[in-house]
Amino acid sequence: MKLAVILLVAQLVLNTAAEQAYEVSNEQLESFEGESETLVFFDNLKTIGRERAINGSFSFAGDMDNDDFKVSVELYSSPQGDGDFKRMVFDVPQTSICECFKKFYVQFVQPSVNDGETTNFPLVDDNTCPIPQGEFYIKNVQFKTEDWPEQVPRGVVKAIITFFTGDKNVGGLIVLVKIEDRQS
Ligand SMILES: *[C@@H]1O[C@H](CO)[C@@H](O)[C@H](O)[C@H]1NC(C)=O
């Protein structure tokens, strides 16, 4: 009996440590084309089902090396979820592509897809570069937030992820997620 109680308490403590105080759900995905050419394609990604899981495929037209490719992430928040977006202070300016994947893909996306079945995109680690050419699938992904920051704004957050080569936009992706207090 005592042991059962201890195990239960231990489990509660562990769960609390791993769980954020908020829940994230996908709202919308939208791809956009580049200025004069498009080298990254997200138009086959969709949200499916009641859970709006992310499903489909994306592709990169060629290998993208750290010297020639950059990525920026602009973040906007709509606290009421009414489409009135304000730019957030936290943004990622144009950053060399491999650095960007190592920092942000690894923190925000990879934990949700690293079970070996959800995507065939290679695991990103410190040695990953260039970002490889290819078409990659994503199966039914909902974001796992254990590595996300503790402090995130509630409401709808919009991330505009833009890929560049030279100073030219070569396409990207707009992701909207809804962030709510976790219901206990
Ligand atoms: C999910 O994506 C795969 C391609 O990766 C596709 O074959 C499948 O039809 C998609 N499922 C739905 C329900 O759209």
Side-chain angles (χ1 to χ4, degrees):
M1 180 64 198
K2 247 186 192 165
L3 183 64
V5 172
I6 290 171
L7 286 176
L8 186 67
V9 170
Q11 196 174 23
L12 283 176
V13 170
L14 287 174
N15 276 346
T16 326
E19 267 189 1
Q20 301 286 5
Y22 56 84
E23 289 178 311
V24 171
S25 50
N26 300 316
E27 276 281 294
Q28 200 184 324
L29 280 180
E30 211 177 295
S31 65
F32 57 88
E33 296 186 342
E35 264 168 57
S36 51
E37 60 173 344
T38 305
L39 298 175
V40 296
F41 300 89
F42 297 99
D43 49 318
N44 280 326
L45 284 179
K46 296 194 171 58
T47 56
I48 61 168
R50 196 170 50 85
E51 307 287 331
R52 300 197 201 200
I54 299 173
N55 186 68
S57 62
F58 61 96
S59 63
F60 299 147
D63 282 351
M64 294 188 281
D65 64 67
N66 214 29
D67 291 334
D68 295 327
F69 287 87
K70 291 188 160 63
V71 178
S72 72
V73 184
E74 290 161 49
L75 293 170
Y76 298 83
S77 162
S78 172
Q80 309 301 330
D82 57 2
D84 184 11
F85 284 100
K86 299 228 157 42
R87 187 109 181 219
M88 286 167 61
V89 179
F90 182 80
D91 254 3
V92 183
Q94 283 192 32
T95 303
S96 299
I97 193 164
C98 298
E99 305 318 316
C100 199
F101 269 73
K102 284 173 208 172
K103 271 194 204 142
F104 299 101
Y105 177 81
V106 165
Q107 180 180 7
F108 288 94
V109 183
Q110 190 154 275
S112 311
V113 299
N114 67 359
D115 64 0
E117 288 179 11
T118 306
T119 185
N120 57 345
F121 189 69
L123 200 69
V124 172
D125 62 23
D126 279 347
N127 300 316
T128 300
C129 212
I131 300 303
Q133 171 182 9
E135 181 174 348
F136 306 100
Y137 63 79
I138 289 194
K139 283 186 203 157
N140 269 321
V141 168
Q142 285 181 278
F143 287 116
K144 293 187 184 147
T145 55
E146 66 253 29
D147 292 343
W148 289 29
E150 259 173 62
Q151 306 288 335
V152 300
R154 303 306 190 258
V156 174
V157 168
K158 171 160 73 174
I160 305 179
I161 304 159
T162 311
F163 290 69
F164 298 90
T165 184
D167 271 330
K168 278 218 176 111
N169 159 3
V170 292
L173 177 67
I174 301 173
V175 184
L176 275 79
V177 295
K178 193 198 282 177
I179 302 174
E180 296 166 298
D181 287 325
R182 181 176 290 282
Q183 306 295 321
S184 47

